[in-house]
Amino acid sequence: QVHLVESGGGSVQAGGSLRLSCAAAGDNGSRKCMAWFRLTPGKEREWIAGIYLGAGTALYADSVKGRFTISQDYPKNTAYLQMNSLKPEDTATYSCAADIPCRGLPFNLPTSWNYWGQGTAVTVSS
């Protein structure tokens, strides 16, 4: 059974940085793609970034392009989200998602992902 274990998050002042990690446990053989979404009360779940594990191909939402970087530790089935130049509007609960095996579905759709992490809170103060 696959499960995702997230870590990182917390509180930071505007302009600061945080790093989130997401490890996929329970399946070492399938091709995987992973992504990060965030959820703010009153708003729809927003896709942030996604990556094809192994190939390392990454995609980003325009709202975070140039500030956030998704990366991988392929042997550890782990994806990271490095968040720089954080803004108060980045405050949200961040969740990682995985599609195992990776089906190549649109990264920005929550329905493309069959496994989800528990979510971690990120708070950016002005």
Side-chain angles (χ1 to χ4, degrees):
Q1 181 70 21
V2 174
H3 63 279
L4 305 182
V5 180
E6 297 177 19
S7 62
S11 298
V12 67
Q13 289 191 327
S17 299
L18 287 172
R19 190 176 84 153
L20 308 180
S21 65
C22 177
D27 186 321
N28 292 320
S30 302
R31 292 182 301 124
K32 302 175 180 66
C33 43
M34 300 179 74
W36 290 94
F37 285 76
R38 64 186 180 189
L39 186 62
T40 304
K43 296 184 179 180
E44 293 186 353
R45 191 184 303 269
E46 179 188 11
W47 170 72
I48 298 300
I51 189 167
Y52 291 94
L53 287 188
T57 305
L59 299 171
Y60 298 93
D62 288 342
S63 59
V64 303
K65 198 173 294 182
R67 298 189 299 124
F68 291 11
T69 302
I70 188 169
S71 61
Q72 63 172 348
D73 185 335
Y74 180 57
K76 294 184 179 180
N77 290 324
T78 299
Y80 302 97
L81 185 68
Q82 178 67 43
M83 305 183 291
N84 297 330
S85 302
L86 283 162
K87 305 174 183 180
E89 52 263 42
D90 293 318
T91 295
T93 298
Y94 286 71
S95 297
C96 70
D99 191 25
I100 303 172
C102 185
R103 295 168 289 173
L105 299 177
F107 274 13
N108 64 318
L109 299 179
T111 54
S112 296
W113 306 92
N114 49 21
Y115 297 100
W116 290 85
Q118 75 277 13
T120 185
V122 170
T123 302
V124 184
S125 57
S126 57

